[in-house]
Amino acid sequence: GAGVSQTPSNKVTEKGKYVELRCDPISGHTALYWYRQSLGQGPEFLIYFQGTGAADDSGLPNDRFFAVRPEGSVSTLKIQRTERGDSAVYLCASSDRGSRDEQFFGPGTRLTVL
Amino acid sequence: GQSLEQPSEVTAVEGAIVQINCTYQTSGFYGLSWYQQHDGGAPTFLSYNALDGLEETGRFSSFLSRSDSYGYLLLQELQMKDSASYFCAVRPGNTGKLIFGQGTTLQVKP
């Protein structure tokens, strides 16, 4: 079946602009996660949705970052007033909360802020 | 807070066995996971240890010792395609988020 998909695959923007990154999870997965990965680092947790609600947003770095999942499937990560430090690969993952903690990752969106 | 430590790089030859260690400091967690990531690719799940001991999945095995705050991933019969980054991760408490280590880059040489 189809895996997690993310669009766009690459996004180049200018400092101060607004961007939206989209994630389509695996059908039927109730849990959805956003992570951010910088070069040479492990994924860094941003936010976790269980259904439509954000169950844990403790990883969002500041109030410029916001994410929604209005119908419990597709999610959008929104970044306002982008800064050069926001440049990274933004990964989305979904899971069917079983005991093995397996999360299925999408290919990521590479965000470059000039 | 939580922190995980892994070696930054490991090199081994094709056909050999390699062990990638992960030590962690966390007040409590639900289990230790391992993920593989090829250059430019998505992390993919390899294994999960909820309890102490060894879990085996084909050429890969993973071990957890909660009393020692330590785990490892064992890769046997190394193949060139195993060249990738390997991350250990913990799920702290009853939330869905994973806390990842910084990753170990494995280079397999012929």
Side-chain angles (χ1 to χ4, degrees), chain A residues 54-75:
Chain A
D56 184 346
D57 65 357
S58 61
L60 295 178
N62 51 58
D63 61 6
R64 296 187 297 106
F65 288 74
F66 188 70
V68 295
R69 194 186 185 199
E71 298 179 355
S73 56
V74 171
S75 176

PDB file of all heavy atoms in Angstrom, chain A residues 54-75:
ATOM      1  N   ALA A  54      -3.669  17.879  18.805  1.00  0.00           N
ATOM      2  CA  ALA A  54      -2.236  17.830  19.106  1.00  0.00           C
ATOM      3  C   ALA A  54      -2.072  17.306  20.529  1.00  0.00           C
ATOM      4  O   ALA A  54      -2.350  18.014  21.493  1.00  0.00           O
ATOM      5  CB  ALA A  54      -1.621  19.211  18.959  1.00  0.00           C
ATOM      6  N   ALA A  55      -1.597  16.069  20.635  1.00  0.00           N
ATOM      7  CA  ALA A  55      -1.437  15.454  21.952  1.00  0.00           C
ATOM      8  C   ALA A  55      -0.170  15.923  22.652  1.00  0.00           C
ATOM      9  O   ALA A  55      -0.080  15.878  23.879  1.00  0.00           O
ATOM     10  CB  ALA A  55      -1.418  13.932  21.807  1.00  0.00           C
ATOM     11  N   ASP A  56       0.809  16.370  21.869  1.00  0.00           N
ATOM     12  CA  ASP A  56       2.075  16.806  22.452  1.00  0.00           C
ATOM     13  C   ASP A  56       2.738  17.750  21.461  1.00  0.00           C
ATOM     14  O   ASP A  56       3.141  17.311  20.390  1.00  0.00           O
ATOM     15  CB  ASP A  56       2.973  15.599  22.742  1.00  0.00           C
ATOM     16  CG  ASP A  56       4.279  15.959  23.441  1.00  0.00           C
ATOM     17  OD1 ASP A  56       4.652  17.146  23.493  1.00  0.00           O
ATOM     18  OD2 ASP A  56       4.944  15.027  23.941  1.00  0.00           O
ATOM     19  N   ASP A  57       2.806  19.028  21.802  1.00  0.00           N
ATOM     20  CA  ASP A  57       3.466  20.002  20.922  1.00  0.00           C
ATOM     21  C   ASP A  57       4.696  20.592  21.592  1.00  0.00           C
ATOM     22  O   ASP A  57       5.134  21.698  21.255  1.00  0.00           O
ATOM     23  CB  ASP A  57       2.498  21.097  20.480  1.00  0.00           C
ATOM     24  CG  ASP A  57       2.014  21.953  21.647  1.00  0.00           C
ATOM     25  OD1 ASP A  57       2.384  21.661  22.806  1.00  0.00           O
ATOM     26  OD2 ASP A  57       1.262  22.910  21.397  1.00  0.00           O
ATOM     27  N   SER A  58       5.267  19.843  22.523  1.00  0.00           N
ATOM     28  CA  SER A  58       6.376  20.356  23.320  1.00  0.00           C
ATOM     29  C   SER A  58       7.638  20.604  22.514  1.00  0.00           C
ATOM     30  O   SER A  58       8.538  21.300  22.981  1.00  0.00           O
ATOM     31  CB  SER A  58       6.683  19.392  24.465  1.00  0.00           C
ATOM     32  OG  SER A  58       7.062  18.121  23.954  1.00  0.00           O
ATOM     33  N   GLY A  59       7.726  20.038  21.312  1.00  0.00           N
ATOM     34  CA  GLY A  59       8.927  20.208  20.511  1.00  0.00           C
ATOM     35  C   GLY A  59       8.901  21.405  19.576  1.00  0.00           C
ATOM     36  O   GLY A  59       9.927  21.745  18.975  1.00  0.00           O
ATOM     37  N   LEU A  60       7.774  22.070  19.440  1.00  0.00           N
ATOM     38  CA  LEU A  60       7.730  23.248  18.574  1.00  0.00           C
ATOM     39  C   LEU A  60       8.655  24.314  19.151  1.00  0.00           C
ATOM     40  O   LEU A  60       8.515  24.688  20.317  1.00  0.00           O
ATOM     41  CB  LEU A  60       6.308  23.780  18.457  1.00  0.00           C
ATOM     42  CG  LEU A  60       5.305  22.862  17.762  1.00  0.00           C
ATOM     43  CD1 LEU A  60       3.918  23.488  17.762  1.00  0.00           C
ATOM     44  CD2 LEU A  60       5.752  22.541  16.336  1.00  0.00           C
ATOM     45  N   PRO A  61       9.603  24.822  18.368  1.00  0.00           N
ATOM     46  CA  PRO A  61      10.640  25.699  18.924  1.00  0.00           C
ATOM     47  C   PRO A  61      10.133  27.062  19.379  1.00  0.00           C
ATOM     48  O   PRO A  61      10.690  27.639  20.310  1.00  0.00           O
ATOM     49  CB  PRO A  61      11.654  25.837  17.784  1.00  0.00           C
ATOM     50  CG  PRO A  61      10.948  25.412  16.558  1.00  0.00           C
ATOM     51  CD  PRO A  61       9.867  24.485  16.937  1.00  0.00           C
ATOM     52  N   ASN A  62       9.094  27.579  18.750  1.00  0.00           N
ATOM     53  CA  ASN A  62       8.553  28.883  19.138  1.00  0.00           C
ATOM     54  C   ASN A  62       7.203  29.059  18.449  1.00  0.00           C
ATOM     55  O   ASN A  62       6.735  28.169  17.741  1.00  0.00           O
ATOM     56  CB  ASN A  62       9.525  30.007  18.742  1.00  0.00           C
ATOM     57  CG  ASN A  62       9.947  29.910  17.292  1.00  0.00           C
ATOM     58  OD1 ASN A  62       9.115  29.936  16.386  1.00  0.00           O
ATOM     59  ND2 ASN A  62      11.246  29.739  17.066  1.00  0.00           N
ATOM     60  N   ASP A  63       6.589  30.208  18.679  1.00  0.00           N
ATOM     61  CA  ASP A  63       5.226  30.398  18.173  1.00  0.00           C
ATOM     62  C   ASP A  63       5.167  30.697  16.684  1.00  0.00           C
ATOM     63  O   ASP A  63       4.092  30.940  16.131  1.00  0.00           O
ATOM     64  CB  ASP A  63       4.495  31.481  18.967  1.00  0.00           C
ATOM     65  CG  ASP A  63       5.182  32.842  18.869  1.00  0.00           C
ATOM     66  OD1 ASP A  63       6.165  32.966  18.088  1.00  0.00           O
ATOM     67  OD2 ASP A  63       4.754  33.764  19.566  1.00  0.00           O
ATOM     68  N   ARG A  64       6.304  30.674  15.997  1.00  0.00           N
ATOM     69  CA  ARG A  64       6.261  30.802  14.535  1.00  0.00           C
ATOM     70  C   ARG A  64       5.830  29.482  13.875  1.00  0.00           C
ATOM     71  O   ARG A  64       5.474  29.458  12.709  1.00  0.00           O
ATOM     72  CB  ARG A  64       7.625  31.217  13.993  1.00  0.00           C
ATOM     73  CG  ARG A  64       8.100  32.600  14.438  1.00  0.00           C
ATOM     74  CD  ARG A  64       9.376  33.008  13.715  1.00  0.00           C
ATOM     75  NE  ARG A  64      10.498  32.117  14.031  1.00  0.00           N
ATOM     76  CZ  ARG A  64      10.980  31.217  13.190  1.00  0.00           C
ATOM     77  NH1 ARG A  64      10.462  31.064  11.981  1.00  0.00           N
ATOM     78  NH2 ARG A  64      12.022  30.462  13.563  1.00  0.00           N
ATOM     79  N   PHE A  65       5.925  28.411  14.660  1.00  0.00           N
ATOM     80  CA  PHE A  65       5.610  27.080  14.141  1.00  0.00           C
ATOM     81  C   PHE A  65       4.220  26.676  14.620  1.00  0.00           C
ATOM     82  O   PHE A  65       3.896  26.802  15.813  1.00  0.00           O
ATOM     83  CB  PHE A  65       6.627  26.051  14.637  1.00  0.00           C
ATOM     84  CG  PHE A  65       7.984  26.170  14.018  1.00  0.00           C
ATOM     85  CD1 PHE A  65       8.843  27.193  14.370  1.00  0.00           C
ATOM     86  CD2 PHE A  65       8.401  25.246  13.077  1.00  0.00           C
ATOM     87  CE1 PHE A  65      10.095  27.306  13.788  1.00  0.00           C
ATOM     88  CE2 PHE A  65       9.653  25.329  12.501  1.00  0.00           C
ATOM     89  CZ  PHE A  65      10.503  26.368  12.858  1.00  0.00           C
ATOM     90  N   PHE A  66       3.435  26.133  13.685  1.00  0.00           N
ATOM     91  CA  PHE A  66       2.094  25.695  14.021  1.00  0.00           C
ATOM     92  C   PHE A  66       1.728  24.521  13.111  1.00  0.00           C
ATOM     93  O   PHE A  66       2.174  24.473  11.970  1.00  0.00           O
ATOM     94  CB  PHE A  66       1.106  26.852  13.820  1.00  0.00           C
ATOM     95  CG  PHE A  66      -0.278  26.574  14.321  1.00  0.00           C
ATOM     96  CD1 PHE A  66      -0.526  26.482  15.685  1.00  0.00           C
ATOM     97  CD2 PHE A  66      -1.330  26.388  13.445  1.00  0.00           C
ATOM     98  CE1 PHE A  66      -1.797  26.221  16.162  1.00  0.00           C
ATOM     99  CE2 PHE A  66      -2.612  26.127  13.910  1.00  0.00           C
ATOM    100  CZ  PHE A  66      -2.833  26.051  15.263  1.00  0.00           C
ATOM    101  N   ALA A  67       0.968  23.575  13.601  1.00  0.00           N
ATOM    102  CA  ALA A  67       0.565  22.444  12.765  1.00  0.00           C
ATOM    103  C   ALA A  67      -0.896  22.134  13.016  1.00  0.00           C
ATOM    104  O   ALA A  67      -1.404  22.338  14.124  1.00  0.00           O
ATOM    105  CB  ALA A  67       1.428  21.226  13.048  1.00  0.00           C
ATOM    106  N   VAL A  68      -1.562  21.644  11.981  1.00  0.00           N
ATOM    107  CA  VAL A  68      -2.974  21.278  12.079  1.00  0.00           C
ATOM    108  C   VAL A  68      -3.193  19.919  11.433  1.00  0.00           C
ATOM    109  O   VAL A  68      -2.434  19.491  10.564  1.00  0.00           O
ATOM    110  CB  VAL A  68      -3.876  22.349  11.409  1.00  0.00           C
ATOM    111  CG1 VAL A  68      -3.779  23.660  12.153  1.00  0.00           C
ATOM    112  CG2 VAL A  68      -3.524  22.508   9.938  1.00  0.00           C
ATOM    113  N   ARG A  69      -4.280  19.305  11.856  1.00  0.00           N
ATOM    114  CA  ARG A  69      -4.707  18.023  11.264  1.00  0.00           C
ATOM    115  C   ARG A  69      -6.243  17.983  11.387  1.00  0.00           C
ATOM    116  O   ARG A  69      -6.789  17.208  12.169  1.00  0.00           O
ATOM    117  CB  ARG A  69      -4.062  16.856  12.012  1.00  0.00           C
ATOM    118  CG  ARG A  69      -4.164  15.530  11.267  1.00  0.00           C
ATOM    119  CD  ARG A  69      -3.647  14.391  12.114  1.00  0.00           C
ATOM    120  NE  ARG A  69      -3.628  13.144  11.370  1.00  0.00           N
ATOM    121  CZ  ARG A  69      -3.566  11.951  11.944  1.00  0.00           C
ATOM    122  NH1 ARG A  69      -3.525  11.829  13.262  1.00  0.00           N
ATOM    123  NH2 ARG A  69      -3.539  10.864  11.198  1.00  0.00           N
ATOM    124  N   PRO A  70      -6.920  18.806  10.631  1.00  0.00           N
ATOM    125  CA  PRO A  70      -8.346  19.079  10.869  1.00  0.00           C
ATOM    126  C   PRO A  70      -9.282  17.897  10.729  1.00  0.00           C
ATOM    127  O   PRO A  70     -10.310  17.851  11.409  1.00  0.00           O
ATOM    128  CB  PRO A  70      -8.668  20.166   9.831  1.00  0.00           C
ATOM    129  CG  PRO A  70      -7.616  20.031   8.790  1.00  0.00           C
ATOM    130  CD  PRO A  70      -6.387  19.573   9.508  1.00  0.00           C
ATOM    131  N   GLU A  71      -8.953  16.930   9.876  1.00  0.00           N
ATOM    132  CA  GLU A  71      -9.853  15.796   9.680  1.00  0.00           C
ATOM    133  C   GLU A  71      -9.233  14.487  10.135  1.00  0.00           C
ATOM    134  O   GLU A  71      -9.751  13.408   9.819  1.00  0.00           O
ATOM    135  CB  GLU A  71     -10.280  15.729   8.210  1.00  0.00           C
ATOM    136  CG  GLU A  71     -11.060  16.966   7.771  1.00  0.00           C
ATOM    137  CD  GLU A  71     -11.459  16.928   6.311  1.00  0.00           C
ATOM    138  OE1 GLU A  71     -11.043  15.976   5.609  1.00  0.00           O
ATOM    139  OE2 GLU A  71     -12.165  17.842   5.871  1.00  0.00           O
ATOM    140  N   GLY A  72      -8.135  14.571  10.834  1.00  0.00           N
ATOM    141  CA  GLY A  72      -7.523  13.368  11.377  1.00  0.00           C
ATOM    142  C   GLY A  72      -6.730  12.553  10.392  1.00  0.00           C
ATOM    143  O   GLY A  72      -6.344  11.422  10.700  1.00  0.00           O
ATOM    144  N   SER A  73      -6.467  13.129   9.203  1.00  0.00           N
ATOM    145  CA  SER A  73      -5.600  12.409   8.258  1.00  0.00           C
ATOM    146  C   SER A  73      -4.458  13.328   7.845  1.00  0.00           C
ATOM    147  O   SER A  73      -3.435  13.361   8.511  1.00  0.00           O
ATOM    148  CB  SER A  73      -6.393  11.897   7.063  1.00  0.00           C
ATOM    149  OG  SER A  73      -7.071  12.959   6.413  1.00  0.00           O
ATOM    150  N   VAL A  74      -4.649  14.105   6.772  1.00  0.00           N
ATOM    151  CA  VAL A  74      -3.602  15.014   6.288  1.00  0.00           C
ATOM    152  C   VAL A  74      -3.255  16.049   7.353  1.00  0.00           C
ATOM    153  O   VAL A  74      -4.128  16.537   8.087  1.00  0.00           O
ATOM    154  CB  VAL A  74      -4.069  15.723   5.006  1.00  0.00           C
ATOM    155  CG1 VAL A  74      -3.121  16.830   4.602  1.00  0.00           C
ATOM    156  CG2 VAL A  74      -4.242  14.710   3.882  1.00  0.00           C
ATOM    157  N   SER A  75      -1.963  16.370   7.421  1.00  0.00           N
ATOM    158  CA  SER A  75      -1.510  17.400   8.354  1.00  0.00           C
ATOM    159  C   SER A  75      -0.686  18.435   7.598  1.00  0.00           C
ATOM    160  O   SER A  75      -0.020  18.123   6.602  1.00  0.00           O
ATOM    161  CB  SER A  75      -0.669  16.777   9.467  1.00  0.00           C
ATOM    162  OG  SER A  75      -0.144  17.777  10.331  1.00  0.00           O
TER     163      SER A  75
END
